[in-house]
Amino acid sequence: IVCFEKQASWGGLWNFTWRCGLDEHGEPVHGSMYRYLWSNGPKECLEFGDYTFEEHFGQNIPSFPPRQVLEDYILGRAKKDNLEKYIAFHTAVRYVEED
């Protein structure tokens, strides 16, 4: 299994970058909202079924966490099961064809 990810790292919009427009490879920059973004949905709806926020942080956290907390949680889940070996970072997909 290979997952292709255009960004250099995990996290989608939770992975903040100051860049806008095009990145260093001439690719459009992903849509991270802003540095101090907070979730507008409760963490209970974002939680992985097999990896709770409480397991990751060792305590209960508020229902509407800030961007940095969600990014840390996503990174923790990825590291827990060594998912990086399945990801091809810096890889933009331009075309897919079925065999």
Side-chain angles (χ1 to χ4, degrees):
I1 295 173
V2 178
C3 178
F4 300 101
E5 172 57 58
K6 188 174 93 170
Q7 297 183 76
S9 186
W10 314 90
L13 71 94
W14 306 111
N15 177 7
F16 174 75
T17 179
W18 57 268
R19 291 183 178 274
C20 61
L22 302 177
D23 67 13
E24 64 272 22
H25 306 290
E27 295 287 330
V29 173
H30 74 280
S32 62
M33 298 305 217
Y34 49 90
R35 186 178 199 171
Y36 299 107
L37 177 69
W38 284 65
S39 172
N40 65 353
K43 75 173 188 331
E44 292 79 9
C45 294
L46 303 170
E47 193 168 64
F48 294 109
D50 63 343
Y51 189 68
T52 65
F53 281 92
E54 190 168 345
E55 177 184 349
H56 178 74
F57 292 107
Q59 62 185 13
N60 196 14
I61 64 167
S63 285
F64 296 88
R67 180 195 63 77
Q68 301 94 320
V69 169
L70 288 168
E71 181 182 27
D72 188 67
Y73 171 69
I74 291 168
L75 294 174
R77 172 61 177 83
K79 288 176 185 174
K80 176 186 174 203
D81 288 330
N82 192 27
L83 299 179
E84 189 168 3
K85 65 185 175 184
Y86 299 108
I87 312 296
F89 292 104
H90 285 292
T91 307
V93 175
R94 303 241 185 275
Y95 182 78
V96 176
E97 186 175 287
E98 185 178 0
D99 286 338

